[in-house]
Structures are given as C-alpha cells and as structure tokens.
Amino acid sequence: MKVFVTGASAGFGAAIASRFAAEGAQVVAAARRTDKLTELGERVHPLELDVRDREAVQQAIATLPEDFAEIDVLVNNAGLAKGLEPAAEADLDDWDQMLDTNCRGVMYCTRALLPGMVRRGRGHVINIGSVAGSYPYPGGNVYGATKAFTHQFSLNLRSDLHGTGVRVTSVEPGLAGGTEFSTVRFDGDSQRAAGVYEGVQALLPEDVAESVHWVANQPAHVNVNVVELMPVAQSFAALSVDRR
C-alpha cells in the first residue's frame, strides 16, 4: 500500500504516517516543515509541501519517486484553526488562512491524485474533518464552515466516483489533545492552549490514526462514508436561549 499524508510533521498527520509505515506501507509524508519528517522511519518519503500552493502540489505529485508514485490512499490531514473570536471581531487573515489550507489544500491534493486512482480502478481519499463541521460553537465560525465543506466534499466525491472503485471517507474527530491545534489557534499561547484540555481525557493522535488505518483496510467492496469520534468526556451541549 502506498499512502500520501498531508500535514505529516506533527499531530494527527505524524501519527497516521507512522501507523501506516509500521504496517509496511510506503508513505509520502508531506508538510511545510521537513525537519521532523525524517523521524518517521525509512519507509517514509519526506516531502516539503505547502498544500495551499496549487502549482507546488501538482509538481510534487507529478514528480514523486517511482516507488511512491501510484498512491493508493490519500489522507488530507493538513488543516488548522485560527482564533476563537466571534465573527464580528475575527481577523480576516485568519479566515483566509483557514479557507486556503482546510478547503483549497484538500481540493488541490485530491484533484492531483484522483485521476491516477480512477485510471487504476482503486484508491481511497480520506479527509480529516471535525465534529465542528456538524455542531456549532461560539468562535467556531469559519473553522466549522471549512469542516462542513470537508464533510460535504467527501459525500459529493462519492457520487462523482460511483462505479470507479475509488473510495472516500470523512473522519471527524472531536476534542483531541497531543497536537499543536490549540497552540496554533491561540497564536502560540501554550498556557491558554493547555487550558482547553485541563481535567479532560481527550482523544489522542493515535486514536485518530487508528480510525484512519481501519477504514483504509476494509475490504475493497466496503466504503465507510463517515467516522465521527469523540472522547467519552465530550458530548452535546444544550441549545442556548437568550432570555430578555
């Protein structure tokens, strides 16, 4: 199996790349920061890549080494949240960065690798979404919208790929620790980021990696459309009512 993982330098991406490599897969680990990619093992091909750059994505995939060229599984993991301000106070640069990474990055990588999968009559696109795409929360505005895009894009890909043998799954985690997610969201404020997980046994990157590995290893006739997972400590909040 040949696997292409974006955002592979840390968090979910590093855990996913390691999980597949441990099972003998050949893994292309793509990230903007390549210094950590060499730590993933010899079965991993490090690739410096910014998924927001359409030409760079096309060039990188077109020039993959022969041993890694025919990708069986694409894991669109690269993504981020920036800020937690209400929409009326949000930073437009943060919104642009989330749209460029979480939406355009997914589109660019998918579009570059999909023709080969269709031509070979097999393959699997696994998009890392979030429960934020289904359940809104204050300050989630554009981040949640980008993950709703991921969910719906995955379902629409399934329709487009009907009869091709290519599978599509959206994996949608809830509260997850052990990543740089909240540190990035809060512009490096590690104390504020740590507070998100205080007193909570959150999901770990390895939990998400296990879900991704599981869906990719189902029999070829089985497509898992959506996987939604939360830590037991997280559930659904009551609807808010503004009483005047």
Side-chain angles (χ1 to χ4, degrees):
M1 182 183 289
K2 297 175 184 178
V3 184
F4 191 106
V5 183
T6 66
S9 61
F12 295 167
I16 292 165
S18 295
R19 181 69 179 86
F20 279 101
E23 294 291 320
Q26 293 169 279
V27 181
V28 177
R32 288 181 299 164
R33 301 172 300 174
T34 58
D35 55 312
K36 295 183 179 180
L37 296 179
T38 54
E39 301 172 7
L40 296 175
E42 60 183 22
R43 298 193 67 85
V44 175
H45 173 67
L47 178 65
E48 183 175 355
L49 182 65
D50 185 343
V51 297
R52 300 171 298 179
D53 186 332
R54 182 168 67 177
E55 291 185 4
V57 169
Q58 293 171 339
Q59 175 67 13
I61 290 172
T63 57
L64 284 172
E66 185 176 350
D67 289 348
F68 294 88
E70 294 189 351
I71 298 298
D72 300 298
V73 178
L74 164 63
V75 183
N76 280 311
N77 165 74
L80 77 165
K82 290 286 288 182
L84 199 60
E85 293 77 22
E89 302 169 18
D91 187 326
L92 281 173
D93 288 339
D94 288 347
W95 281 9
D96 281 342
Q97 189 175 357
M98 287 186 282
L99 285 169
D100 287 343
T101 307
N102 301 1
C103 298
R104 291 189 177 90
V106 170
M107 293 189 300
Y108 295 161
C109 292
T110 301
R111 182 61 182 84
L113 284 166
L114 210 50
M117 293 182 180
V118 172
R119 187 170 59 251
R120 293 186 293 274
R122 58 181 169 80
H124 200 156
V125 178
I126 302 175
N127 296 321
I128 304 300
S130 169
V131 297
S134 299
Y135 313 112
Y137 59 86
N141 42 67
V142 167
Y143 174 70
T146 64
K147 292 305 181 178
F149 166 85
T150 302
H151 177 94
Q152 195 63 28
F153 183 57
S154 301
L155 297 183
N156 279 278
L157 282 175
R158 281 276 289 135
S159 291
D160 284 349
L161 294 165
H162 180 74
T164 66
V166 180
R167 303 185 288 177
V168 185
T169 303
S170 180
V171 175
E172 303 174 1
L175 183 68
T179 76
E180 300 174 348
F181 179 85
S182 290
T183 305
V184 171
R185 165 168 260 174
F186 299 133
D187 288 326
D189 187 338
S190 56
Q191 185 173 357
R192 188 179 179 192
V196 174
Y197 312 102
E198 187 174 354
V200 177
Q201 186 174 353
L203 296 176
L204 297 173
E206 291 75 16
D207 299 324
V208 177
E210 192 63 35
S211 296
V212 171
H213 185 267
W214 177 76
V215 299
N217 281 280
Q218 292 304 297
H221 69 284
V222 175
N223 190 96
V224 180
N225 295 328
V226 180
V227 174
E228 181 183 287
L229 61 156
M230 289 180 175
V232 174
Q234 184 180 37
S235 60
F236 311 100
L239 294 174
S240 299
V241 177
D242 181 22
R243 301 186 187 279
R244 302 298 176 101

